[in-house]
């Protein structure tokens, strides 16, 4: 077949031992105009831009700057703060519009979508309970918890919430060790994981944060971005600084947990 779809990373990769993968993601200059030129010169092909776009408003801006571009790729920024992209369907695909031609958008009606993060946790808790009924919590609990860990990134007490989740994730193994020490076979998990998740959220996060809608969250992000523009324009710094810091925090936490896991494996 013939390749017609391209995802273009808009900066070069410096193949030098002094350049780490992290350096290559930050230091070489982003050249979005190269991607724009490809879109203009080859209208029969489709191009998506990749690199340096860390916010949903940034995605919208790039697509407005180059209407012929097929899409914008976002990776670590979404993984680090998924809720900041909760309005993607509405803004990019018109999900709330009955005239939308996007099949995915049309397959989910507005009344079935979670209206806030509290509802997301409630629905996810049901799923997590079902999974632990079918599979060993000792083996899957940490994977289940990992999916909701960054849901409140950047929010007040968000780190306390993540610490509480980490304790919940390690509970089955802790109970298993205690049971083995007592010569018992079961691990005795009396509280459903859904209840533990909800308790962690209610204990550490405010009602306003839990009930804030995607629309309200996006408006707050836009307002914060507007305020930071005047501050950053004078010294040339990006107005996506908060998002970049969240990505760094997410990467650091991820690296720390991987090191902890390797340490546990090496000790067993």
């Amino acid at each position: 077949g013939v390749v017609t779809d391209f995802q273009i990373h808009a900066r070069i990769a410096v193949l030098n031992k002094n350049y780490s993968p992290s350096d290559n993601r930050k230091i070489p200059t982003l050249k979005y105009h190269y991607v724009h030129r490809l879109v203009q010169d080859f209208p029969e092909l489709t191009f998506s831009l990749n690199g340096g776009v860390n916010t949903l408003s940034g995605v919208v801006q790039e697509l407005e700057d180059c209407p012929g571009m097929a899409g914008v790729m976002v990776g670590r920024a979404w993984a680090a703060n998924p809720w900041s992209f909760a309005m993607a369907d509405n803004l990019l695909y018109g999900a709330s519009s009955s005239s939308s031609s996007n099949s995915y958008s049309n397959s989910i009606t507005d009344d079935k979508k979670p209206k806030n993060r509290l509802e997301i946790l409630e629905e996810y808790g049901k799923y997590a309970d079902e999974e632990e009924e079918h599979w060993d919590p000792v083996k899957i609990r940490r994977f289940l918890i990992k999916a909701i860990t960054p849901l409140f990134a950047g929010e007040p007490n968000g780190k306390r919430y993540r610490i509480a989740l980490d304790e919940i994730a390690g509970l089955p193994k802790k109970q298993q060790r205690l049971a083995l020490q007592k010569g018992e076979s079961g691990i005795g998990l009396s509280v459903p994981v859904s209840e533990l998740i909800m308790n962690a959220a209610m204990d550490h996060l405010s009602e306003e944060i839990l009930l804030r809608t995607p629309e309200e969250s996006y408006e707050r992000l836009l307002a914060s971005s507007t305020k930071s523009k005047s501050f950053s324009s004078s010294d040339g710094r990006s107005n996506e600084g908060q998002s970049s810091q969240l990505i760094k925090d997410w990467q650091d936490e991820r690296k720390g947990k991987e090191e902890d896991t390797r340490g546990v494996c090496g000790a067993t």
Side-chain angles (χ1 to χ4, degrees):
V2 178
V3 177
T4 60
D5 183 54
F6 300 88
Q7 286 75 43
I8 309 297
H9 199 283
R11 59 170 128 223
I12 63 171
V14 180
L15 303 180
N16 186 309
K17 65 179 181 180
N18 295 323
Y19 264 65
S20 67
S22 177
D23 291 335
N24 265 315
R25 290 193 297 266
K26 296 180 293 186
I27 298 177
T29 304
L30 285 162
K31 298 181 178 180
Y32 293 158
H33 60 286
Y34 281 13
V35 183
H36 298 172
R37 181 66 182 272
L38 287 169
V39 172
Q40 296 170 4
D41 291 352
F42 302 94
E44 71 278 11
L45 304 175
T46 57
F47 295 94
S48 297
L49 182 148
N50 180 22
V53 182
N54 294 330
T55 63
L56 181 55
S57 59
V59 171
V60 173
Q61 184 62 57
E62 291 306 322
L63 292 174
E64 289 179 351
D65 290 346
C66 186
M69 194 158 59
V72 177
M73 185 180 295
V74 180
R76 282 172 295 276
W78 180 90
N81 189 10
W83 183 249
S84 68
F85 290 85
M87 284 289 290
D89 282 350
N90 302 69
L91 295 175
L92 304 180
Y93 303 108
S96 62
S97 172
S98 59
S99 61
S100 172
S101 61
N102 181 270
S103 59
Y104 171 73
S105 300
N106 290 331
S107 68
I108 304 177
T109 58
D110 285 342
D111 60 335
K112 291 184 179 180
K113 292 179 180 179
K115 298 179 178 61
N116 50 61
R117 283 172 283 189
L118 183 63
E119 292 189 8
I120 290 176
L121 290 180
E122 289 173 345
E123 291 301 314
Y124 189 80
K126 297 175 185 177
Y127 163 76
D129 285 344
E130 291 178 0
E131 289 296 297
E132 292 204 345
E133 288 177 3
H134 289 90
W135 307 100
D136 184 357
V138 173
K139 296 181 178 179
I140 70 166
R141 172 68 67 86
R142 191 162 292 281
F143 293 104
L144 290 172
I145 294 299
K146 183 178 180 180
I148 55 172
T149 298
L151 190 57
F152 296 93
E155 300 286 7
N157 291 329
K159 187 172 183 178
R160 292 183 180 180
Y161 161 80
R162 294 195 298 275
I163 291 172
L165 287 187
D166 191 58
E167 293 175 354
I168 294 169
L171 190 59
K173 285 190 175 182
K174 180 179 179 180
Q175 295 286 62
Q176 184 186 53
R177 287 194 299 269
L178 292 174
L180 289 173
Q181 290 173 3
K182 296 178 181 180
E184 300 173 355
S185 57
I187 60 175
L189 293 176
S190 58
V191 183
V193 65
S194 58
E195 184 175 336
L196 295 174
I197 291 170
M198 292 302 296
N199 288 343
M202 300 297 288
D203 288 345
H204 299 293
L205 301 164
S206 70
E207 181 177 338
E208 188 276 327
I209 291 173
L210 290 169
L211 299 180
R212 190 186 303 153
T213 66
E215 292 83 358
E216 291 168 342
S217 296
Y218 185 68
E219 288 173 1
R220 288 170 65 97
L221 288 172
L222 287 180
S224 176
S225 176
T226 300
K227 288 181 180 180
S228 68
K229 279 183 179 179
S230 57
F231 175 77
S232 61
S233 59
S234 61
D235 58 10
R237 285 181 289 179
S238 169
N239 63 353
E240 297 192 349
Q242 182 184 17
S243 179
S244 298
Q245 183 59 47
L246 290 175
I247 295 171
K248 183 180 183 301
D249 292 344
W250 171 77
Q251 289 175 319
D252 290 344
E253 286 188 16
R254 183 183 181 192
K255 183 179 179 181
K257 289 179 180 179
E258 288 176 349
E259 289 175 351
D260 289 343
T261 301
R262 286 196 295 270
V264 170
C265 292
T268 56

